Amino acid sequence: DRNIETNSKKIIHLYKPDIVGITSLTGYMIQDGIKISKYIKYNYPNTKIIWGGVHVSILPKNTLNENYIDYVVIGEGEKTFIDLLKGIEDNRDLSLIKGIGYKVDGMSCITDRQDPIMNLDNLPLIPWHLINTKKYLRYETLFITSRGCPHRCAFCYNENYNYRKWRGMSADRVKKEIDHAEQYHPINRYRFDDDNFSVNKKRFHSILNFIPKNSSLYFSTRIEYIDEEFCRHVSEFKDAFIFLGIESGDNEMLKKMKKDITVDKIRRGYI
């Protein structure tokens, strides 16, 4: 993880991996993934490199065209990545695996998308025991409890990634995830990196009910989800950082971006 590791080359030489998986968002940070991929291919040409994540899912062929990338995983990777690994290991016909891209004689091949995971409660708990938890949990503990967003912002990846569908773990399942993480490290700040944490109001308030009020809170939402109950509940915490997707203070620009809000609405909030 290049957010916290500075010795990626040393790790690669230590493990001499058969396969390396890399994920990245579109932007300057993708250069790091490119450099590491090229470094691996130069030193270990037989190592297979698989890219996944948002950038790849939106631009699979563009990504697969690079000679230092062997495969891509498109969309959610929990099932697809395992299917691909088994396919590579068993030398299966990769055209039968949904949600991937691969090469045949230098030509890029993209299969049909994998069906979305509709019941997120069925996903396994985060395997914290596999990593150095102190590096990840020292300042804040990050959870992703839902996927997608029902809104239509023109610039957002959700239009083509989650197709404007929102899916969320149940509040009970979220509590299990939190209790599980607390077994490895005390939680000082609860960070929910959902695209839109408060789409389901009942679920939102149920989750806040079991989070200690003397802790810090972070999440993303939109202006139209803020009402009196929202403000009252959030204000009970020691401190809360709420990321609001406002994007612009110009009505014409908001309209072009399909934000479905106005400057007046932003100013007034829920009133």
Side-chain angles (χ1 to χ4, degrees), residues 151-170:
H151 299 276
R152 62 184 192 126
C153 305
F155 55 83
C156 186
Y157 82 105
N158 262 306
E159 188 80 22
N160 294 312
Y161 193 92
N162 291 301
Y163 306 110
R164 292 178 61 191
K165 302 293 185 182
W166 182 89
R167 295 159 287 145
M169 293 178 178
S170 66

Side-chain angles (χ1 to χ4, degrees), residues 50-102:
I50 304 174
W51 273 51
V54 174
H55 177 86
V56 173
S57 298
I58 303 301
L59 298 167
K61 283 191 175 181
N62 179 278
T63 306
L64 199 55
N65 282 340
E66 304 295 344
N67 57 16
Y68 49 83
I69 298 174
D70 299 295
Y71 307 96
V72 296
V73 170
I74 303 165
E76 295 173 313
E78 285 90 351
K79 183 178 187 302
T80 305
F81 189 49
I82 294 173
D83 290 346
L84 176 56
L85 293 178
K86 289 180 179 178
I88 295 171
E89 185 176 40
D90 300 337
N91 197 28
R92 297 178 190 172
D93 181 358
L94 297 183
S95 68
L96 302 177
I97 300 174
K98 287 186 175 182
I100 67 165
Y102 60 99

Side-chain angles (χ1 to χ4, degrees), residues 36-51:
I36 293 173
S37 297
K38 288 181 176 179
Y39 182 83
I40 294 168
K41 273 299 180 187
Y42 180 80
N43 289 279
Y44 302 98
N46 292 326
T47 295
K48 301 302 181 184
I49 297 179
I50 304 174
W51 273 51

